[in-house]
Amino acid sequence: RPPMIVFGCSAHPQLSDEVCTILGIPKGDLAITHPTNKETDVEGFADPEFLRNETGVKINEYVRSKEVFIISSGDCNNINNLIMELLIVIYACKTSSARK
């Protein structure tokens, strides 16, 4: 794995796929959950403890001492959730000791 990781948020996954294709690297493994209307709706999700009816991020790879780039774009209909998602991903990378 190269020392650079690119994560794509849920706003525009095709954009991050295209960037990774151009760079010739695989996209970083990131799981993002969003609030649901039902607190018990966890079917199909591998870790029910992770889903607590709030936006959550789980980085499924080692980011310590690596350069991390996060790709996200805005959607006027859902901008609050997208900004929170981006901030949570940034926080998760910083607390996991990403280099930049």
Side-chain angles (χ1 to χ4, degrees):
R1 190 108 175 127
M4 174 175 62
I5 298 175
V6 176
F7 290 122
C9 292
S10 63
H12 201 305
Q14 298 87 1
L15 177 61
S16 56
D17 290 340
E18 206 169 306
V19 168
C20 288
T21 300
I22 291 170
L23 293 174
I25 61 171
K27 187 164 73 168
D29 189 7
L30 180 70
I32 300 173
T33 60
H34 291 282
T36 60
N37 291 332
K38 302 178 198 173
E39 289 185 4
T40 58
D41 187 15
V42 292
E43 289 183 44
F45 197 81
D47 188 3
E49 288 297 315
F50 178 58
L51 183 60
R52 300 183 200 278
N53 204 27
E54 58 190 30
T55 300
V57 171
K58 188 173 184 180
I59 298 173
N60 296 316
E61 61 183 274
Y62 189 74
V63 296
R64 182 178 298 264
S65 299
K66 294 188 179 181
E67 288 185 277
V68 176
F69 295 88
I70 303 163
I71 298 175
S72 183
S73 63
D75 177 5
C76 294
N77 297 328
N78 198 15
I79 195 70
N80 291 340
N81 286 342
L82 295 176
I83 290 173
M84 284 307 301
E85 175 184 297
L86 178 60
L87 291 173
I88 292 168
V89 172
I90 292 169
Y91 179 76
C93 290
K94 291 300 281 180
T95 58
S96 297
S97 300
R99 184 171 48 155
K100 292 183 184 178

